Amino acid sequence: MMKSSFLRTLLLVAIMAFAGRTTCAADNGGGTFTAGKKTFLLNGKPFVVKAAELHYPRIPRPYWEHRIKMCRALGMNTICLYVFWNIHEQREGEFNFTGQNDIAAFCRLAQKNGMYVIVRPGPYVCAEWEMGGLPWWLLKKKDIHLREQDPYFMDRVSKFMAKVGEQLAPLTIQNGGPIIMVQVENEYGSYGEDKAYVSAIRDIVRQSGFDKVTLFQCDWASNFTRNGLDDLVWTMNFGTGSDIDSQFSRLRELRPESPLMCSEFWSGWFDKWGARHETRPASAMVAGIDEMLSKGISFSLYMTHGGTSFGHWAGANSPGFAPDVTSYDYDAPINEYGQATPKYYELRRTMEKYSDKRLPSVPKPATELISIPRFSLNEYAPLVFGTDSMCVARSPLTFEELDMGWGTVIYSTSLPEINTPSTLAMKDAHDYAMVYVDGRYIGRTDRVRNETTVSLPPVSRGSRLDIVVEGMGRINFGRAIKDFKGLTGEVTIMANVDGDDVTWKLNDWTMRTLPDSYDHALRAFKRFNDGESMGLKLDSRAGYYRGFFNLKKTGDTFINMETWGKGLVYVNGHAIGRFWSIGPQQTLYVPGCWLKKGRNEIVVLDVAGPVMAETWGQDRPELDKLQTEKSNRHNNPGDRPDLNSATPAAAGQFAQGRAWQTVKFNAPARGRYLAIECSSTHDGSEIAAIAEIYVQDTDGRRIDRSSWSTKYADSEDADNGNHTGDKAFDLQESTWWSTTYGASMPHLLVIDMGAEQTIGALEYLPATGQDAAGLTKDYRIFVY
Ligand code: GLA
């Protein structure tokens, strides 16, 4: 008796001690968080949200708590997170919220560390994440309307949201948990105008258990009214360097009593393959946060810690196709591997001013950094040994039709006799297609470069054509998110035979799928070692490589991939991410928690083939080393139009200021190319800069920009940031084309619109950063 009551007391003491440790303001068995007059109210008292955006799949679970503590020591009081639908439902109807996907555990960890949580469950999240978080299998319904009231889409959204509700609704503040707000959709204004759809998503979110918690929607200052719902809180997204008062001015007019919040204050920016690493100055970020806090404005710092888009989860941007690199460092205050940067300490000093308590001390790194001496990956299996299934069809099938989410497909067919050199055309090969004739490598097309053709030598009847198509991340932004992979259009050969242009359409394809998975890599080694015959031989170094390294102690490291071609890495079975020799990222972050003392395994799938099959671990990342074959500038003199005798479609002066302006043409102008000449600025500088350009048809409707590319720019500042020509039509108001210091006026940007258009007006947004130069005054616009 005595003994059991003693045990009970002990248990009670233990429980109380545990509860004491986990106590935070939210952990009180039920509270409230609402939008009051010009301020948020937490349990009825004014509250400024200082949120840190973190993404649980981008941080290995053993490091979750460390990163949360890092945010707390930065002076944040909230963690803001997206829920990534496609990581939880990788196959239709199969949900996984365990382990690395245990969002409820993540939220409880935040609460344990005294943090509130804002949840952004999508269904679409953008976030430089494969398909913006939508599952690829939605595309098995070919005519699906994503992010619209397509019955199948909405049905799947409801099912997913119900599962999110099961996980997280018990953790809202009303139920004693840390969740103070939940977001409805994501920046729908930059996708379309459809209040009925956004309302339907709101209702689904409510029905999923988020019926008491405060709901909000986020957008840009320029478009939030398009889909603004009366019963939701409205927040704005904008980046470092923005003029904060002007970002909120329209909201203040429409809802003078609303609390203000910047729900994504971009600390830095993401990187794409083939372009310089992005950075943003700490001073501008800190000044922005200082200003917001001095005015009682809530914010979420996107990203406070970006982490890594492990495996195949990095997405791609559009217009054009701009796949994102694996690192999601984002130039954030906490770097990719969880350490405090100078930006962190600078921000912390400012945050301290607005904290009534001393900030907790900055946690030590979760693990040390280690290097690993150079070693070879000696085991090899050719690509074809990783194939999963084989399928035959008259026309090439997409990955989705072949029921494969991510990976590579080898498309094979036989060729007609063509006695002269010819051109193989694959209009829509997504994304990187390597062409072989009778096993010999001939050439490739790269979607990033808009390449669509490969020159073929003369071929004899029955020669085998193999096209190895690797899919990269699906587009995560804009209308192009419906991004099928593989050969998505027809394949033709064109040649001039005896003076006649002849076109052959290639039919009767055999398709072998190679899904991205560690198990397929293992199977490839086994089959190859067992001497199996795959009936296909490609003369190439592409394939699977395996090597081992020994460690006396574990720690975070960065595997160097500079001598490799293009593909994916697995370490001890963990999908580490994509590499591509063009850079700028040349190393891949390998978290120490996935390494072990003793023997560790690395498997590399290289679809292009390495120069040398070796690697090493270094103790710092290389995120900014380009090895592109061609420069990414567009100043080839041959592309510069002669405008001397051309008549401009419009000419005049832009008004001063950083707001959108529209120039109506006197008469509609028709042509494929749009040239904007800037010959003076309001700020007296020699720099021209443009954040966004749209053109309207004669009815005032914006013309689709999805096939736009930069034809010519006399100058592009690609050294001090990625201010290349495409930034003028990348759908992102916070990035811009800029000329370099030293290049003199007039400046010229020429856009290839992909097809002839009839244009009635042009919309122009100057660079929005407060300190950005380049406010154009005198302009001339040509269409030709
Ligand atoms: C938008 C999106 C985010 C992210 C950022 C850019 O604001 O809402 O998901 O894509 O852009 O990093």
Side-chain angles (χ1 to χ4, degrees):
M1 249 339 247
M2 271 276 295
K3 201 167 157 204
S4 92
S5 93
F6 174 71
L7 276 179
R8 252 204 314 274
T9 315
L10 209 67
L11 196 66
L12 210 64
V13 170
I15 289 170
M16 281 168 66
F18 182 72
R21 249 195 294 131
T22 60
T23 298
C24 77
D27 189 14
N28 58 5
T32 58
F33 181 87
T34 52
K37 273 195 177 173
K38 296 194 176 174
T39 177
F40 289 110
L41 297 172
L42 176 68
N43 299 321
K45 300 210 183 72
F47 184 77
V48 175
V49 179
K50 303 173 202 170
E53 179 102 12
L54 296 187
H55 296 156
Y56 57 96
R58 288 184 156 131
I59 307 167
R61 182 166 177 169
Y63 295 164
W64 281 356
E65 188 162 13
H66 175 261
R67 306 310 193 245
I68 291 168
K69 284 186 177 351
M70 289 289 289
C71 296
R72 181 138 198 249
L74 189 52
M76 303 293 189
N77 55 23
T78 303
I79 298 289
C80 184
L81 59 102
Y82 278 127
V83 183
F84 297 83
W85 178 5
N86 54 9
I87 210 158
H88 295 289
E89 193 180 358
Q90 299 201 16
R91 305 237 29 128
E92 183 170 356
E94 294 172 20
F95 294 93
N96 179 350
F97 288 94
T98 62
Q100 185 70 43
N101 286 356
D102 194 341
I103 41 174
F106 186 89
C107 292
R108 282 194 297 267
L109 266 185
Q111 183 172 28
K112 177 183 156 200
N113 286 282
M115 304 289 264
Y116 295 96
V117 173
I118 294 175
V119 175
R120 311 202 290 158
Y124 163 83
V125 299
C126 195
E128 292 67 72
W129 191 262
E130 151 86 11
M131 213 170 147
L134 303 179
W136 69 269
W137 44 259
L138 290 170
L139 299 180
K140 291 211 277 184
K141 179 174 185 278
K142 229 177 172 168
D143 60 351
I144 192 168
H145 292 268
L146 301 168
R147 301 179 76 194
E148 286 177 32
Q149 290 203 69
D150 176 303
Y152 173 63
F153 180 74
M154 296 307 278
D155 177 51
R156 293 316 316 178
V157 171
S158 309
K159 294 196 160 87
F160 159 68
M161 209 57 84
K163 294 286 174 189
V164 175
E166 277 171 26
Q167 297 293 319
L168 297 185
L171 294 175
T172 58
I173 186 164
Q174 290 77 10
N175 294 328
I179 299 171
I180 51 176
M181 286 212 282
V182 174
Q183 184 180 298
V184 172
E185 248 284 349
N186 190 74
E187 290 188 343
Y188 199 76
S190 56
Y191 189 73
E193 192 165 336
D194 190 347
K195 277 195 188 177
Y197 163 76
V198 181
S199 309
I201 296 293
R202 173 205 57 203
D203 295 345
I204 291 174
V205 170
R206 280 202 180 124
Q207 283 151 19
S208 304
F210 302 109
D211 50 342
K212 297 196 184 64
V213 69
T214 297
L215 301 185
F216 73 106
Q217 62 188 134
C218 75
D219 259 306
W220 301 343
S222 60
N223 62 23
F224 73 97
T225 52
R226 299 177 85 186
N227 300 290
L229 302 185
D230 291 342
D231 54 350
L232 299 189
V233 173
W234 296 341
T235 63
M236 300 296 128
N237 293 349
F238 52 84
T240 281
S242 300
D243 176 339
I244 288 161
D245 280 336
S246 75
Q247 290 288 337
F248 286 112
S249 63
R250 185 94 179 98
L251 176 61
R252 280 190 173 117
E253 264 169 52
L254 294 174
R255 289 188 174 177
E257 300 287 87
S258 171
L260 302 182
M261 174 161 184
C262 172
S263 39
E264 284 184 28
F265 187 57
W266 301 310
S267 60
W269 204 244
F270 53 87
D271 289 341
K272 58 182 186 181
W273 293 109
R276 292 288 306 275
H277 172 52
E278 299 269 0
T279 57
R280 298 284 186 274
S283 52
M285 180 193 78
V286 174
I289 291 201
D290 202 349
E291 182 179 339
M292 286 193 275
L293 288 178
S294 71
K295 294 176 175 167
I297 299 175
S298 291
F299 68 84
S300 177
L301 186 63
Y302 186 108
M303 298 296 296
T304 299
H305 169 49
T308 310
S309 307
F310 292 111
H312 49 233
W313 293 108
N317 254 276
S318 80
F321 179 67
D324 299 309
V325 304
T326 299
S327 168
Y328 203 57
D329 179 86
Y330 214 84
D331 195 31
I334 304 170
N335 65 21
E336 181 180 6
Y337 45 108
Q339 300 207 358
T341 62
K343 223 176 188 176
Y344 179 97
Y345 288 105
E346 219 173 297
L347 179 58
R348 190 169 183 268
R349 278 194 289 278
T350 296
M351 296 290 287
E352 213 149 27
K353 289 199 306 193
Y354 296 95
S355 172
D356 43 9
K357 284 194 228 103
R358 272 196 68 186
L359 298 183
S361 52
V362 180
K364 287 206 210 59
T367 176
E368 53 185 303
L369 295 171
I370 60 165
S371 43
I372 303 165
R374 193 185 285 257
F375 62 97
S376 295
L377 281 71
N378 293 324
E379 201 173 338
Y380 171 67
L383 209 54
V384 67
F385 286 81
T387 51
D388 199 27
S389 65
M390 198 151 100
C391 172
V392 178
R394 182 136 178 92
S395 300
L397 301 177
T398 63
F399 286 16
E400 293 76 13
E401 287 166 326
L402 291 163
D403 196 25
M404 182 179 81
W406 312 275
T408 297
V409 170
I410 306 177
Y411 294 86
S412 309
T413 188
S414 60
L415 292 170
E417 171 151 331
I418 308 172
N419 292 324
T420 64
S422 62
T423 305
L424 176 77
M426 301 173 283
K427 197 168 155 286
D428 298 301
H430 295 173
D431 299 300
Y432 193 81
M434 289 148 286
V435 175
Y436 296 78
V437 172
D438 288 329
R440 193 164 64 87
Y441 179 74
I442 302 292
R444 63 108 219 269
T445 62
D446 176 0
R447 187 179 174 200
V448 172
R449 296 194 167 279
N450 273 325
E451 293 165 347
T452 54
T453 60
V454 169
S455 301
L456 295 185
V459 290
S460 50
R461 185 176 190 80
S463 284
R464 204 187 63 238
L465 174 76
D466 299 304
I467 309 176
V468 178
V469 185
E470 187 215 28
M472 299 196 69
R474 288 186 179 78
I475 292 175
N476 60 266
F477 187 58
R479 286 273 159 189
I481 53 175
K482 204 171 161 186
D483 184 16
F484 297 97
K485 294 299 183 188
L487 291 179
T488 66
E490 61 180 32
V491 181
T492 55
I493 297 186
M494 291 164 304
N496 189 283
V497 182
D498 303 330
D500 289 329
D501 287 332
V502 187
T503 302
W504 291 264
K505 183 177 165 205
L506 299 183
N507 291 320
D508 301 325
W509 295 86
T510 300
M511 287 148 285
R512 295 172 171 86
T513 53
L514 286 99
D516 280 348
S517 93
Y518 176 62
D519 290 344
H520 283 84
L522 292 189
R523 196 170 67 177
F525 295 119
K526 179 159 185 341
R527 279 177 171 170
F528 187 62
N529 295 338
D530 291 351
E532 263 184 53
S533 160
M534 301 301 295
L536 177 71
K537 204 170 168 327
L538 301 176
D539 184 14
S540 143
R541 300 194 65 198
Y544 299 88
Y545 290 80
R546 176 153 62 174
F548 298 90
F549 54 96
N550 280 303
L551 292 179
K552 288 210 177 68
K553 62 169 188 195
T554 61
D556 286 353
T557 193
F558 303 89
I559 292 285
N560 188 296
M561 300 305 294
E562 272 173 69
T563 66
W564 295 79
K566 186 172 196 308
L568 287 148
V569 173
Y570 302 91
V571 171
N572 295 332
H574 292 276
I576 296 298
R578 292 199 179 91
F579 62 91
W580 190 357
S581 56
I582 63 171
Q585 178 173 10
Q586 299 292 356
T587 57
L588 290 175
Y589 171 52
V590 179
C593 57
W594 292 348
L595 295 173
K596 53 194 183 204
K597 281 190 191 159
R599 195 165 122 115
N600 291 267
E601 179 203 59
I602 175 165
V603 168
V604 177
L605 163 59
D606 192 333
V607 294
V611 178
M612 271 186 301
E614 56 181 40
T615 185
W616 63 92
Q618 49 189 68
D619 59 6
R620 66 180 59 121
E622 178 53 83
L623 297 181
D624 198 14
K625 186 167 173 189
L626 284 178
Q627 304 191 124
T628 43
E629 298 154 30
K630 288 192 220 152
S631 140
N632 51 0
R633 317 246 163 120
H634 304 87
N635 55 358
N636 174 14
D639 290 329
R640 185 184 182 110
D642 179 8
L643 300 172
N644 282 329
S645 50
T647 313
Q653 293 191 338
F654 286 123
Q656 194 150 16
R658 300 195 180 274
W660 279 99
Q661 304 180 34
T662 303
V663 176
K664 290 225 158 25
F665 296 178
N666 287 333
R670 187 158 175 85
R672 171 169 173 168
Y673 300 97
L674 173 73
I676 301 130
E677 184 194 72
C678 314
S679 51
S680 72
T681 54
H682 286 288
D683 48 18
S685 77
E686 291 266 317
I687 294 198
I690 298 176
E692 286 295 298
I693 289 279
Y694 277 96
V695 287
Q696 298 176 356
D697 63 16
T698 44
D699 295 325
R701 282 185 306 244
R702 284 179 170 180
I703 291 174
D704 177 45
R705 303 186 301 179
S706 53
S707 43
W708 286 23
S709 59
T710 310
K711 170 85 175 151
Y712 177 81
D714 67 301
S715 169
E716 289 165 286
D717 188 1
D719 289 330
N720 299 306
N722 269 325
H723 299 300
T724 44
D726 56 296
K727 298 287 180 174
F729 48 88
D730 67 348
L731 282 165
Q732 298 281 359
E733 296 184 1
S734 66
T735 61
W736 60 88
W737 163 61
S738 170
T739 60
T740 54
Y741 281 97
S744 48
M745 294 274 184
H747 293 299
L748 186 66
L749 175 67
V750 182
I751 295 166
D752 177 355
M753 296 182 287
E756 285 212 348
Q757 305 288 353
T758 303
I759 300 173
L762 174 139
E763 293 174 56
Y764 154 75
L765 180 73
T768 48
Q770 284 186 84
D771 305 326
L775 285 176
T776 297
K777 194 166 156 193
D778 286 288
Y779 68 82
R780 293 198 299 164
I781 299 163
F782 299 86
V783 179
Y784 62 98

